[in-house]
């Protein structure tokens, strides 16, 4: 059974070459949906043998969904450009275990890295996400940010994706700030309305959950730092939603 690799990109020249090389170990074609990158992303992808389709960014889920008709195979491995399969995930695919049990999709564990340091505390591991699915019975959602795969039969498997998203704390803050803006707008568009105390309440709950219940307290300054990051951006997401509400009264 052959697999199509699907990647969405925007200015990913740092990662796209390594991502395609890794995908080609388990996929027989790579489809890149590029949102008109201004760096060398497209050039590198084409040199590596990928088919590049240009499309203005539609949102995380819609952009992935847009790429499905270009994939010739039923099974889709949909990684981000800064994600790579760990050896256990490659072995899972090589052994064709995804064909067992009539599942629509498979959820892998994510190992998140800050530079080369694994973030395995404060609720950041195991972080599950669906990256392998059958396009006939499953598909990406229409969420603008942090999309999920819509499927009836999903199986969680104890294999891993390596996620090298950030080189520094400042990059985490910049990305999460962008995500909080998108999430706030998405919540408003979905009809979500909140009271004035919601930002503070959710920010506090996020900190308590990450620092105490998800054991950040046992990881010193790093545990405290990442619990505060989660708390602050939970607060910011709902604060931005509150401001959108007021602007649209």
């Amino acid at each position: 059974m052959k697999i199509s690799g699907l990647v969405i990109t925007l200015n990913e020249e740092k990662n796209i070459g390594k991502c395609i090389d890794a995908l080609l170990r388990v996929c027989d074609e790579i489809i890149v949906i590029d949102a008109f990158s201004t760096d060398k992303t497209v050039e590198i992808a084409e040199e590596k043998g990928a088919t590049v389709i240009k499309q203005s960014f539609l949102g995380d889920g819609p952009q992935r969904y847009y790429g499905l008709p270009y994939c010739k195979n039923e099974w889709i491995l949909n990684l981000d450009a800064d994600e790579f399969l760990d050896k256990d995930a490659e072995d899972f695919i090589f052994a064709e275990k995804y064909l067992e049990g009539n599942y629509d999709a498979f959820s892998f564990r994510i190992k998140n890295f800050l530079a080369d340091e694994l973030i395995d505390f404060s609720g950041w591991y195991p972080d599950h996400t669906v990256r392998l699915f059958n396009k006939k019975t499953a598909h990406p959602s229409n969420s603008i940010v942090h999309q999920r795969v819509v499927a009836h039969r999903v199986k969680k498997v104890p294999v891993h994706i390596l996620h090298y998203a950030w080189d520094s704390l400042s990059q985490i803050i910049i990305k999460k700030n962008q995500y909080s803006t998108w999430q706030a707008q998405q919540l408003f568009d979905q009809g979500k309305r909140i009271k004035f105390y919601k930002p503070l309440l959710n920010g506090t709950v996020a900190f308590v959950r990450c620092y105490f219940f998800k054991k950040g307290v046992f990881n010193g300054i790093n545990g405290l730092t990442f619990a505060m990051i989660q708390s602050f951006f939970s607060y910011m997401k709902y604060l931005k939603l509150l401001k959108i509400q007021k602007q649209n009264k």
Side-chain angles (χ1 to χ4, degrees), residues 28-56:
D28 74 315
E29 70 164 358
I30 309 297
I31 305 298
V32 173
I33 307 300
D34 183 76
F36 291 93
S37 294
T38 56
D39 62 3
K40 295 183 178 180
T41 298
V42 171
E43 178 183 338
I44 294 170
E46 290 178 339
E47 286 177 354
K48 293 287 184 179
T51 299
V52 178
I53 310 296
K54 294 185 178 181
Q55 170 61 45
S56 298

Side-chain angles (χ1 to χ4, degrees), residues 5-17 19-20 23 30-46 50-60 63-64 66-67 78-83:
L6 176 63
V7 187
I8 63 173
T9 56
L10 174 61
N11 295 333
E12 291 284 357
E13 65 178 7
K14 176 184 174 183
N15 298 308
I16 191 61
C19 180
I20 291 174
L23 283 171
I30 309 297
I31 305 298
V32 173
I33 307 300
D34 183 76
F36 291 93
S37 294
T38 56
D39 62 3
K40 295 183 178 180
T41 298
V42 171
E43 178 183 338
I44 294 170
E46 290 178 339
T51 299
V52 178
I53 310 296
K54 294 185 178 181
Q55 170 61 45
S56 298
F57 190 61
L58 303 169
D60 188 26
Q63 192 81 347
R64 298 172 196 269
Y66 179 85
N78 179 206
L79 297 185
D80 290 340
D82 53 13
E83 294 178 342

Side-chain angles (χ1 to χ4, degrees), residues 96-163:
E96 295 190 336
K97 291 185 178 180
Y98 61 95
L99 299 178
E100 300 173 1
N102 197 31
Y103 290 98
D104 304 318
F106 292 88
S107 179
F108 295 168
R109 294 176 177 177
I110 304 293
K111 291 180 178 178
N112 292 294
F113 291 84
L114 174 58
D116 293 323
E117 182 180 356
L118 176 63
I119 310 170
D120 58 354
F121 47 83
S122 297
W124 287 57
Y125 178 86
D127 181 18
H128 286 90
T129 190
V130 172
R131 285 290 186 255
L132 179 64
F133 62 92
N134 189 313
K135 71 177 184 180
K136 287 191 171 182
T137 54
H139 61 83
S141 70
N142 61 359
S143 297
I144 296 174
V145 61
H146 292 320
Q147 68 84 34
R148 63 182 182 86
V149 170
V150 179
H152 294 292
R153 290 174 52 82
V154 180
K155 183 176 182 179
K156 288 184 177 181
V157 288
V159 301
H160 296 87
I161 290 172
L162 309 177
H163 184 211

Side-chain angles (χ1 to χ4, degrees), residues 114 119 121-122 124 166 168-177 180 203 206-207 210 221-236:
L114 174 58
I119 310 170
F121 47 83
S122 297
W124 287 57
W166 316 285
S168 64
L169 285 173
S170 62
Q171 283 189 353
I172 294 180
I173 292 169
I174 290 169
K175 283 193 174 183
K176 281 193 168 289
N177 185 49
S180 68
F207 179 83
C210 291
I221 191 66
N222 286 336
L224 178 61
T225 298
F226 281 93
M228 291 180 69
I229 287 174
Q230 292 293 85
S231 171
F232 179 68
F233 284 104
S234 179
Y235 172 84
M236 289 301 297

